Amino acid sequence: MLLSPGYRRLLLLCVLLGVPIALACFFFVGLQHQLQHWVWTSLPEAAGYDTPPWWWPLTALVLAGLVLAPIVTRMPGAGGHLPVNGLGGPPVGPKALPGAVLAALATLPLGVVLGPEAPLMAVGSGLALLAVRRAGAGGDQRAGAILATAGSTAAISTILGGPVAAAVLLIEGAGLAGAQMVVLLLPCLLASATGSLVFTGFGQWTGLKIGALALPDLPPAANPDAGDFLWGVPTAALIAVLITLARELGHRTVSWTRRHTAVRTVACATAVGVCVAVYALITGRSPAEAALSGQAALAQLAADPHAWPVGALIALVACKGLAWGIALGSLRGGPIFPSVLLGTATAMACSGLPGFGVTPALALGVAAAAAAVTGLPLSSAVLAVLLTGGDAYDQMPLIVTASVVSFIVSQLVRRTEPETAPRPATGAAA
């Protein structure tokens, strides 16, 4: 199959698809970032506040629920995948794509405590399937599945550090073996590499901020020692328990919102707003730290962890974790970014223990949270390595250990799941 003319044309099409998908993702994330800045920075400043007041998320989240309810109940595709299912499910087709994009752009900037990764994958798969149908190849289901997978992988690579992280996510999540994996991996690598190049270059040319998951400033490098492993292993287990319990709340929320969906979607969005407002009232800090996807708060926490009191970190984990669990089963977005902040905040709160360093805590927090929410320990370790940058080499043993421990504990804690394992859309599309 690799040597057939049809497969070579498929590879060429994946390279060509990477360009429009990257541009669509760039403007999608750029617009979302600008709307988010307007809601949480420009509007409060125009109203005379240095930071959003504690009641700000109540207004924003009620509005998000009112906007999302008709999208979920009336538009094709119901606004995209439920985030409680991870990044799994069939690829989003062209008919369902407008609803998924509208739900994300209309609600993520309002602070629904979810990330942009799932909507981005919907953009990638939807555009790829649209291209297949326009080319008159809609009858070839195998080619359509591969192109949809390549499109969603190219889209997710734009915010996960490039094509390597997306490729590892595909390898671990698809569950294919041997030659079958190569057939699927090559188109995804080409589309991801092309898309990542266009995405990065276009961002430098326009100067627009895209808000990709990144940690530009990190605590000073420190090699992990016996104390870091002594405290790190139970901390990774604790993170797995917290993330899994929040996902269980998401599953219960799904069951609750099946009836009277519109009204209960608004109620869930309001409950998320209450959780965020409570965080602001308890800590006296900006509610934006507990709202939104957590990208900005994660960067701030990594850059200056000592600026966050332990009490504030505990309040963040409790309030944002509860809000995230509710949002998983009722709102629309991606589950990974908020979970990474929750895991990192938990680890940072524990880093004051004797012999537990800040830098090792940061690394294991990212890995443990990602492993618990995705069920993909290898991909989670790669993501932690990419985020920690130059410190990754020294932290790799702890990162891998935390990822494995978190994965095992999350499997033990999990009681009932609608799916056997949370798989990314790349695997489902295959």
Side-chain angles (χ1 to χ4, degrees):
M1 182 176 182
L2 291 176
L3 299 178
S4 65
Y7 187 75
R8 291 197 294 269
R9 287 194 296 269
L10 185 66
L11 293 180
L12 177 59
L13 182 57
C14 287
V15 175
L16 298 176
L17 278 176
V19 176
I21 288 175
L23 291 176
C25 291
F26 176 84
F27 286 109
F28 174 90
V29 178
L31 179 57
Q32 181 219 328
H33 190 270
Q34 291 299 113
L35 291 173
Q36 176 180 309
H37 183 270
W38 181 68
V39 171
W40 294 91
T41 303
S42 300
L43 272 183
E45 290 178 352
Y49 298 101
D50 294 332
T51 59
W54 67 268
W55 50 266
W56 196 266
L58 292 174
T59 304
L61 269 300
V62 170
L63 178 60
L66 292 173
V67 171
L68 182 62
I71 297 175
V72 171
T73 55
R74 297 179 182 274
M75 293 192 70
H81 299 307
L82 274 170
V84 74
N85 295 326
L87 298 178
V92 174
K95 290 184 179 179
L97 181 58
V101 172
L102 181 59
L105 289 179
T107 63
L108 290 182
L110 295 174
V112 296
V113 197
L114 294 169
E117 59 272 21
L120 276 178
M121 296 180 77
V123 170
S125 64
L127 291 179
L129 289 174
L130 180 62
V132 170
R133 294 179 184 178
R134 291 293 183 183
D140 190 345
Q141 295 183 354
R142 184 179 180 85
I146 292 177
L147 284 173
T149 303
S152 58
T153 308
I156 196 68
S157 73
T158 58
I159 56 170
L160 287 185
V164 174
V168 174
L169 187 73
L170 169 73
I171 292 172
E172 193 172 15
L176 300 179
Q180 287 181 295
M181 174 55 67
V182 176
V183 169
L184 183 60
L185 181 60
L186 295 183
C188 294
L189 276 174
L190 285 174
S192 299
T194 305
S196 182
L197 178 63
V198 173
F199 196 85
T200 304
F202 209 72
Q204 294 174 347
W205 178 56
T206 62
L208 293 175
K209 295 182 178 180
I210 55 169
L213 187 61
L215 301 178
D217 299 305
L218 295 170
N223 294 333
D225 53 25
D228 295 318
F229 279 89
L230 177 65
W231 294 116
V233 170
T235 299
L238 173 62
I239 292 170
V241 171
L242 294 175
I243 296 296
T244 306
L245 290 178
R247 292 190 68 224
E248 177 64 22
L249 174 61
H251 285 300
R252 293 180 182 274
T253 305
V254 172
S255 301
W256 187 68
T257 55
R258 285 199 179 105
R259 297 181 59 189
H260 311 293
T261 302
V263 174
R264 292 182 177 182
T265 296
V266 177
C268 288
T270 304
V272 171
V274 170
C275 294
V276 176
V278 168
Y279 168 78
L281 283 172
I282 292 175
T283 63
R285 300 171 67 94
S286 171
E289 294 173 351
L292 304 169
S293 67
Q295 295 166 249
L298 179 62
Q300 295 169 7
L301 181 58
D304 190 6
H306 300 292
W308 295 65
V310 174
L313 292 172
I314 295 174
L316 178 66
V317 172
C319 296
K320 190 179 183 74
L322 182 58
W324 179 63
I326 297 171
L328 285 176
S330 57
L331 308 181
R332 297 298 185 271
I336 297 178
F337 284 24
S339 70
V340 170
L341 175 59
L342 291 172
T344 304
T346 303
M348 288 299 188
C350 298
S351 65
L353 295 169
F356 195 11
V358 173
T359 302
L362 172 68
L364 79 87
V366 173
V373 74
T374 64
L376 306 175
L378 176 59
S379 302
S380 303
V382 171
L383 178 61
V385 167
L386 290 173
L387 286 179
T388 50
D391 296 337
Y393 181 81
D394 294 329
Q395 306 301 329
M396 276 187 191
L398 186 60
I399 287 173
V400 172
T401 302
S403 182
V404 172
V405 168
S406 177
F407 172 76
I408 293 175
V409 171
S410 65
Q411 297 299 315
L412 293 174
V413 173
R414 188 172 299 145
R415 296 177 181 178
T416 58
E417 290 280 356
E419 299 175 351
T420 56
R423 293 190 176 187
T426 51

